[in-house]
Amino acid sequence: MNFIEGEILCVDKPLGWTSFDAVKRLRGALTRRLGVKKIKVGHAGTLDPLATGVMIVCTGRATKRIDELQAGIKEYVATIALGATTPSFDLETEIDATYPTEHITRELVEETLTKFTGRIEQVPPAFSACKVDGKRAYDLARKGREVELKPKILVIDCIELLEFAPDSITVRVVCSKGTYIRALARDIGAALGSGGHLTALRRTRVGDIHIDKCLDMQQADELIRTVEIEMPEK
């Protein structure tokens, strides 16, 4: 493999790691193996620390393909707690309000999910990397500042109900770039006449890359340590 000319590594990002943590780990392994001080490494599509799954990491000149790769269709499996909301729409922040769930049935959930397929408008979470007046929204939100974000048009190809309980659902979502599954959890909870927040998220596909083709971080480290290396001609 020629990491300087450019390679694409597909890894399964662990729970609790930022996308930057994963890139930093692989960059460190590459610089040690190649005996260089620095190498260009980037990722296509950020995953929150509380999410796991497919993350595409590009090295060297392959970083020029990042925009192309992150534009691919995404697939997620998401667990949404019903009956409560949080400011971040996930477990990063504490519950700020509770709502009834007794009226929620499987039939109501399945009917409600159909309203979220096709082209929809979605307001991104305040706890997101969107920029407001040149600053990241999450930096402002974490300081307690009021954040107003404009709705974005996106496409959801499919939402399938995988598991149902009155206070929790698990769904499979196939969607376009730019979809915030946390915001989808918020909106589904509201549409059910209750509240909702994300409790687990796994990205299972980006474009043609499926989770079963991804390396865990230990396997990625091992690959970098042991694979036959090509160095570019000087």
Side-chain angles (χ1 to χ4, degrees):
M1 299 182 80
N2 192 325
F3 291 104
I4 294 176
E5 279 297 323
E7 297 287 352
I8 295 173
L9 297 175
C10 303
V11 299
D12 182 351
K13 188 193 79 66
L15 183 67
W17 290 42
T18 66
S19 297
F20 178 76
D21 289 336
V23 168
K24 184 179 178 181
R25 168 82 166 263
L26 296 176
R27 185 189 291 117
L30 284 167
T31 55
R32 288 191 296 273
R33 177 69 200 279
L34 298 172
V36 297
K37 288 187 176 180
K38 61 182 180 179
I39 180 174
K40 190 178 289 187
V41 183
H43 67 279
T46 300
L47 276 176
D48 291 335
L50 297 177
T52 66
V54 179
M55 197 175 90
I56 302 172
V57 178
C58 300
T59 77
R61 295 186 178 94
T63 54
K64 294 179 180 177
R65 295 188 58 195
I66 284 176
D67 286 346
E68 165 205 340
L69 292 167
Q70 68 185 10
I73 294 293
K74 312 292 193 306
E75 180 181 80
Y76 298 90
V77 174
T79 300
I80 301 168
L82 301 175
T85 56
T86 72
S88 60
F89 312 149
D90 64 7
L91 295 175
E92 182 182 339
T93 52
E94 297 293 324
I95 289 172
D96 60 0
T98 58
Y99 302 85
T101 59
E102 294 82 4
H103 64 288
I104 299 176
T105 62
R106 175 181 283 272
E107 292 72 26
L108 178 61
V109 171
E110 289 179 337
E111 179 187 344
T112 300
L113 293 181
T114 63
K115 301 172 183 176
F116 290 91
T117 56
R119 287 173 60 86
I120 67 168
E121 278 194 353
Q122 183 185 79
V123 178
F127 287 76
S128 70
C130 294
K131 287 195 173 182
V132 179
D133 297 329
K135 296 182 179 179
R136 296 292 184 187
Y138 57 67
D139 286 333
L140 299 173
R142 285 172 184 148
K143 292 175 182 176
R145 298 269 299 277
E146 191 78 22
V147 177
E148 277 194 34
L149 295 170
K150 295 180 180 179
K152 295 184 177 182
I153 300 293
L154 50 90
V155 177
I156 296 183
D157 295 313
C158 168
I159 305 184
E160 176 187 3
L161 180 63
L162 301 179
E163 297 178 18
F164 168 79
D167 59 355
S168 176
I169 58 173
T170 299
V171 295
R172 181 178 74 91
V173 181
V174 180
C175 56
S176 65
K177 172 189 173 183
T179 304
Y180 284 94
I181 306 299
R182 288 180 289 134
L184 191 61
R186 167 202 64 196
D187 295 341
I188 289 172
L192 288 168
S194 185
H197 64 279
L198 196 65
T199 56
L201 181 65
R202 185 157 178 77
R203 187 157 69 193
T204 52
R205 177 165 69 94
V206 177
D208 295 327
I209 298 168
H210 292 253
I211 189 64
D212 58 0
K213 302 298 183 185
C214 292
L215 304 173
D216 64 32
M217 294 306 296
Q218 187 173 345
Q219 290 170 328
D221 276 344
E222 181 71 14
L223 173 71
I224 291 169
R225 284 198 307 269
T226 60
V227 73
E228 185 175 339
I229 296 289
E230 295 177 37
M231 296 296 286
E233 295 181 6
K234 294 184 179 180

